[in-house]
Amino acid sequence: MNRVVHPIEQESYRRLRARLDTSHFPPLTRAVVERVIHSAADLEYATDLVMDEGELVTAHAALHAGAPVVVDVEMVAAGITRRETVCRLRDAVAGPGLTRSAHAIRLAYEQVGPGALWVIGNAPTALEELLTLDADPALVIGLPVGFVGAVESKAALRESGLPAVSNVSEKGGSAVASAALNALLYHPVPDSEETP
């Protein structure tokens, strides 16, 4: 993806790197950490985020091969640039023991099936519902925010063994979740025709 980076963004990253050394991170992990920090102006994400470089490499390939991107809310969708997303929240209905966000995840899974990238930045119940499905995701970016259920849902994601980007604290939200996906979207695709 050819992307022109605005001078303000370039300067923001320069200042970020002047305050925090991210050079020890592997390439995709560094891209995610830096973009999340940039989106929130919160350097603590460098030690709060949890991810695996190998899983990011696989997810990066799936994303650039056209895997669907599913989001929990329109705010996450609005933050993801240059890529169509699936958000079924408008079609969802809350019911006994089922939040509207959880129902939206069910509807989205019925639409896209396995292999999608899931980006959850708002509702812990959306992440909890995803974990009950046999979604076989390419990646789950699980960064819901809040004091009720956010930490627990992200811990459950890490314990699930699914390929994931999460964080340990209550922090999160739509901006950081979309930033994590954008980091993968903007990161260059290796030239498959290069010889080793």
Side-chain angles (χ1 to χ4, degrees), residues 68-72 86-89 91-92 101-114 116 118 130 133:
V69 175
V70 180
V71 300
D72 63 334
V86 173
C87 182
R88 296 296 303 273
L89 191 60
D91 305 317
S101 294
H103 186 226
I105 294 299
R106 286 186 190 177
L107 293 174
Y109 178 64
E110 290 171 6
Q111 179 178 338
V112 303
W118 295 79
L130 179 59
L133 302 174

Side-chain angles (χ1 to χ4, degrees), residues 28 32 52-69 83 115-118 137-141 163-165 180-181 184-185:
L28 287 169
V32 172
D52 175 82
E53 182 72 9
E55 292 175 352
L56 294 179
V57 168
T58 301
H60 181 260
L63 177 64
H64 288 277
V69 175
R83 186 63 186 266
L117 287 88
W118 295 79
L139 184 70
V140 179
I141 297 173
V165 173
L181 191 282
L184 298 178
L185 191 58

Side-chain angles (χ1 to χ4, degrees), residues 73-108:
V73 293
E74 292 291 341
M75 286 293 289
V76 174
I80 295 172
T81 55
R82 300 181 185 203
R83 186 63 186 266
E84 293 296 318
T85 62
V86 173
C87 182
R88 296 296 303 273
L89 191 60
R90 290 178 190 232
D91 305 317
V93 179
L98 185 71
T99 66
R100 190 168 158 234
S101 294
H103 186 226
I105 294 299
R106 286 186 190 177
L107 293 174

Side-chain angles (χ1 to χ4, degrees), residues 158-170:
R158 290 189 299 278
E159 291 165 10
S160 74
L162 294 175
V165 173
S166 70
N167 69 312
V168 177
S169 72
E170 290 125 340

